[in-house]
């Protein structure tokens, strides 16, 4: 049997890049091909420690892992999924968990083809 892929999310803090009065956190997801989730955590944590040194940040911990269901990773492969029960409507959920005013991310405008 082939070794499966795992995606592992790690949490970091960037004290030198934080704006005044805030803590800047980074969530990073890396892919690992290995025999078990435990091995994926170990590989991810080793890489995360190296990344933290190079990026001048603090590795807090690996927070969770996701077993990829596709044997081969290719365009369109699902590499992460989180399910969370909530009483929020879609807009409240997005504002709370997905795209908050504290996020440092790029806004994209996707041009969709009209059918």
């Amino acid at each position: 049997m082939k070794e499966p892929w795992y995606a592992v999310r790690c949490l970091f803090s960037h004290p030198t890049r934080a704006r005044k009065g805030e803590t800047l956190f980074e969530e990073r997801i890396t892919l690992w091909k290995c025999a078990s989730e435990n091995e994926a955590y170990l590989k991810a944590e080793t890489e995360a420690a190296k990344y933290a040194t190079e990026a001048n940040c603090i590795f807090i911990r690996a927070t969770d892992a996701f077993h990829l269901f596709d044997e081969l990773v290719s365009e369109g492969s699902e590499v992460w999924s989180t399910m969370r029960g909530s009483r929020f409507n879609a807009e409240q959920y997005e504002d709370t968990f997905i795209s908050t005013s504290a996020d440092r991310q790029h806004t994209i405008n996707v041009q969709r083809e009209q059918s």
Side-chain angles (χ1 to χ4, degrees):
M1 183 175 162
K2 294 182 181 181
E3 288 185 334
W5 284 97
Y6 291 88
V8 180
R9 180 169 46 183
C10 292
L11 180 63
F12 300 85
S13 171
H14 289 266
T16 61
R17 297 177 63 193
R19 295 179 182 143
K20 188 175 181 177
E22 73 174 16
T23 302
L24 179 63
F25 292 103
E26 176 185 10
E27 295 178 50
R28 223 171 139 253
I29 298 173
T30 52
L31 291 176
W32 304 98
K33 191 169 194 156
C34 45
S36 69
E37 185 176 282
N38 189 55
E39 184 181 350
Y41 271 105
L42 293 173
K43 286 182 173 185
E45 289 176 343
T46 299
E47 189 278 337
K50 182 180 176 189
Y51 171 79
T53 299
E54 293 170 355
N56 193 28
C57 63
I58 300 165
F59 170 50
I60 298 171
R61 69 183 182 92
T63 60
D64 47 346
F66 176 74
H67 175 256
L68 279 67
F69 296 99
D70 295 341
E71 281 190 32
L72 298 174
V73 177
S74 61
E75 188 171 308
S77 293
E78 180 181 47
V79 297
W80 193 265
S81 176
T82 298
M83 293 185 176
R84 179 183 291 128
S86 176
R87 295 184 189 272
F88 292 150
N89 64 36
E91 185 177 337
Q92 292 169 319
Y93 184 91
E94 183 177 6
D95 290 345
T96 303
F97 297 110
I98 306 300
S99 180
T100 73
S101 61
D103 292 345
R104 293 188 189 179
Q105 61 188 16
H106 300 281
T107 302
I108 60 169
N109 293 313
V110 177
Q111 299 281 329
R112 291 185 172 78
E113 293 182 24
Q114 294 183 357
S115 8

